[in-house]
Amino acid sequence: MTALLVIATMTAGCAGAASDAPVSPATGSRAPSTPAVSSPSASSVSPASTAAGPSVSATLAAMSLEEKVGQLFMPVLYGSRPDGAHGDNQARFGVGSPAGAVRKYHPGGVILFPWAGNIDDAGQIVKLTRGLQKASKIPLIIGADQENGVVSRLSPLVTDVPGNMAIGATRDPAAARAAARVTGEEMRALGLNFDFAPVADVNVNPANPVIGARSYGSDPARVATMVGAAVQGFHDAGVGSAAKHFPGHGDTRVDSHSGLPVIRHSRSQWEKLDAPPFKAAARHGVDMVMSAHVVMPKLDPSGDPATLSKPILTGLLRKKLGYNGVVTTDALDMAGVREKYGDAEVAVRAILAGVDLLLMPPDFAKAHGAVLSAVKSGRISRARLDQSVTRLLTLKAARGILDGSVAGSGQVKTVLRSDEHRKIVQSIADRSVTAVKGVRGLPVKGDVLVTGPAGKRLAGMLDRASASGTGDTPTAAQIAGARTAATRADTVVVTTKDAGPAQARLVSAMAGTGKKVVVVSMGAPYELARLRGHHTALAVYSDGDASLKAAAKALTGALTPKGVLPVGLGAR
């Protein structure tokens, strides 16, 4: 009840997050209503539109050319301690420690990853972020991809918030705002001041291999409402946010990490389907927009990915949508942006297309040298360089970064995974549960067998339940074991997540026992259209503890599923 009251209060406070009125980037308060974004003045839609105060102007005037160029980069640095030596830093930056790389290259920001050794525990992250800030002459944007759900770089240190598709199933923008606030407050406590979220892609392709449950859904208007609310939530927490992946990554069958997707939406299709969430993000003062490594030939016939496309980034994003905030690339180590040009040329072309921030260049020294040379030669003008640096400094000023006020709160123990946050998250998870098929088959009765990828975890939340757990790819032996165990049960619950052939065989085997079979889908619910033989299907969209607890409540009758599928399940 407490969590419901908290979210209800937030609903009243935001008076419907779909409002077109922008949020002041400096204060988070709502400004008067402005004209539609299709033809706005730039002053109404972005943090960089706030008049550059003396601190921004003075900072820019005092910067050397090398410092300005450094601001355009946001690399990955390696290791858990600011002054700890790491071989990858030596190889990539010519210095051993993360702090040394910051002092040498003056980057505008740093992005943290578990695989880079940046994330061990909360105390360590606070020391790392503080040490990096201390090493930097100009305070850093320190960010992470904490989308929640599938992409959660800070897990398990922070509250496990269900992903966007679960939030989309609630149809409540206050849930999106509350989830973003929870995440933002916990990131800020760790010394991070930026989240590369929310995902603004409208996932209309069930075969999409890279977005899926990261999206709020397939309805552009509903996704737009959720995106705008999430931006507000991050700002409530005092951290910056990035809407991604412009001009839209929701209708692809290729993963841009490993290939170059092509989306053949016409201009009118793009305006109706892909553009609305980015318009909403701009209306709510989003700090950054992230480009997509996708080709849209009907928006730019050159064949270049959007990250390198001036017609898309400058023509559509800047001029058509009126967005004048920071534009960042998606990670430049992804294959989708590296097919046509080398890593040095990619960096230069991105800036010329309208990008301000170069995220994760795979060869930092090469990219940095190429941009510096392009400025010295005039290929990138000094005015163009100053334009991007001003946008970045203005973002930092708007989010309290430039004056050093976001540097780790020291309240990690009281903020991370707090009772308040966990109650909010559980309420969201409870309201996301969706009865896709056979709701009359609930609650389950008698002895219950739970199998599938989360079989043991879910069984532990149910009375009179046993488990026959499997991995994500059940083996023949595991399926046979589950089939034997099912003979002793009254009901079989099969947990699934992005079910491939092996999980489908598990469901079919359980159906073949003649027992009542309930499927609990823990990822994008498209899998339910491929599974056969079950009597009841629930979608909870996540395998986090909150979502599994919500599933357990639905299975036992403690809650009635109220979620609504945010996507259609039919194949395209």
Side-chain angles (χ1 to χ4, degrees):
M1 179 62 72
T2 301
L4 290 172
L5 289 173
V6 170
I7 293 179
T9 300
M10 295 189 73
T11 304
C14 70
S19 169
D20 287 353
V23 174
S24 164
T27 66
S29 60
R30 184 161 299 286
S33 181
T34 59
V37 175
S38 57
S39 56
S41 65
S43 64
S44 67
V45 296
S46 68
S49 63
T50 304
S55 62
V56 170
S57 300
T59 301
L60 182 70
M63 293 172 69
S64 68
L65 174 61
E66 288 74 14
E67 288 170 342
K68 290 179 180 180
V69 170
Q71 287 295 297
L72 307 185
F73 288 86
M74 192 167 191
V76 179
L77 303 178
Y78 294 83
S80 61
R81 295 182 295 116
D83 292 308
H86 194 289
D88 280 318
N89 293 324
Q90 190 67 49
R92 295 169 185 269
F93 305 103
V95 293
S97 70
V102 168
R103 286 188 285 265
K104 180 178 180 179
Y105 282 108
H106 319 288
V110 174
I111 183 168
L112 305 186
F113 285 96
W115 52 259
N118 304 143
I119 298 167
D120 291 336
D121 58 62
Q124 168 266 320
I125 295 175
V126 171
K127 290 178 182 178
L128 175 62
T129 55
R130 286 179 174 173
L132 292 175
Q133 293 291 17
K134 185 176 180 181
S136 186
K137 179 180 176 180
I138 298 171
L140 298 161
I141 299 169
I142 301 182
D145 289 313
Q146 188 59 30
E147 296 174 12
N148 297 316
V150 178
V151 179
S152 298
R153 309 301 188 196
L154 301 175
S155 177
L157 302 179
V158 298
T159 301
D160 186 5
V161 180
N164 286 349
M165 198 161 282
I167 294 170
T170 71
R171 294 201 169 190
D172 184 3
R177 184 173 182 176
R181 179 178 67 81
V182 165
T183 297
E185 287 177 353
E186 298 195 12
M187 294 181 75
R188 186 182 173 101
L190 292 167
L192 287 87
N193 49 43
F194 201 90
D195 195 352
F196 284 98
V199 172
D201 303 311
V202 180
N203 202 84
V204 295
N205 193 333
N208 194 322
V210 67
I211 303 301
R214 297 167 65 192
S215 168
Y216 288 107
S218 60
D219 180 89
R222 292 191 185 280
V223 173
T225 299
M226 294 295 183
V227 167
V231 171
Q232 288 182 285
F234 287 119
H235 290 175
D236 291 340
V239 301
S241 65
K244 59 189 190 185
H245 309 79
F246 189 85
H249 208 317
D251 192 10
T252 62
R253 289 178 176 265
V254 174
D255 185 343
S256 53
H257 292 83
S258 56
L260 182 57
V262 177
I263 300 176
R264 302 192 182 279
H265 291 180
S266 67
R267 173 67 177 263
S268 63
Q269 286 176 309
W270 174 79
E271 290 182 345
K272 293 176 182 177
L273 176 64
D274 301 293
F278 294 100
K279 291 181 180 180
R283 283 196 298 267
H284 289 83
V286 74
D287 304 274
M288 288 189 197
V289 171
M290 178 183 283
S291 68
H293 304 327
V294 301
V295 172
M296 283 197 174
K298 294 184 180 178
L299 301 184
D300 177 0
S302 71
D304 284 342
T307 297
L308 308 180
S309 170
K310 189 169 185 177
I312 290 175
L313 296 185
T314 298
L316 290 182
L317 182 56
R318 297 279 191 217
K319 295 181 179 178
K320 174 65 176 177
L321 300 191
Y323 180 72
N324 196 35
V326 171
V327 174
T328 179
T329 69
D330 202 344
L332 292 177
D333 61 356
M334 294 164 61
V337 76
R338 303 175 73 193
E339 288 199 354
K340 291 182 66 176
Y341 308 103
D343 293 331
E345 184 66 8
V346 162
V348 174
R349 283 178 176 261
I351 299 298
L352 293 174
V355 162
D356 304 299
L357 186 65
L358 300 164
L359 182 64
M360 299 169 59
D363 189 327
F364 183 91
K366 183 181 289 186
H368 182 274
V371 174
L372 183 59
S373 295
V375 174
K376 288 180 177 179
S377 71
R379 185 180 179 193
I380 296 174
S381 71
R382 299 293 179 108
R384 174 69 188 85
L385 174 64
D386 284 355
Q387 185 182 51
S388 284
V389 176
T390 298
R391 289 190 183 111
L392 287 158
L393 294 176
T394 304
L395 183 162
K396 293 181 180 185
R399 295 292 151 237
I401 299 169
L402 197 58
D403 63 9
S405 65
V406 185
S409 70
Q411 299 177 334
V412 170
K413 291 183 179 179
T414 60
V415 175
L416 299 189
R417 301 175 61 85
S418 69
D419 288 344
E420 177 204 355
H421 287 178
R422 287 187 286 111
K423 288 176 181 176
I424 291 170
V425 166
Q426 191 60 59
S427 174
I428 293 170
D430 288 351
R431 292 187 295 138
S432 75
V433 180
T434 306
V436 181
K437 177 183 178 182
V439 67
R440 293 181 181 178
L442 299 175
V444 297
K445 298 177 181 178
D447 294 322
V448 178
L449 173 72
V450 189
T451 187
K456 292 181 179 179
R457 291 169 59 208
L458 182 56
M461 300 174 185
L462 300 169
D463 293 332
R464 298 182 64 184
S466 59
S468 182
T470 73
D472 290 340
T473 307
T475 65
Q478 288 173 329
I479 293 173
R483 187 181 180 94
T484 298
T487 63
R488 300 186 292 271
D490 298 301
T491 302
V492 180
V493 175
V494 187
T495 59
T496 60
K497 185 175 183 182
D498 301 324
Q503 289 186 42
R505 287 193 293 270
L506 176 64
V507 174
S508 295
M510 296 303 96
T513 65
K515 304 291 184 175
K516 176 182 173 182
V517 176
V518 180
V519 170
V520 176
S521 171
M522 304 181 300
Y526 304 115
E527 62 183 6
L528 294 173
R530 303 191 297 269
L531 302 177
R532 298 289 182 268
H534 53 284
H535 302 85
T536 300
L538 295 175
V540 297
Y541 312 97
S542 169
D543 61 357
D545 283 348
S547 294
L548 289 183
K549 288 177 183 177
K553 292 177 185 178
L555 290 169
T556 59
L559 71 78
T560 300
K562 299 292 186 182
V564 179
L565 274 176
V567 294
L569 301 185
R572 297 189 62 197

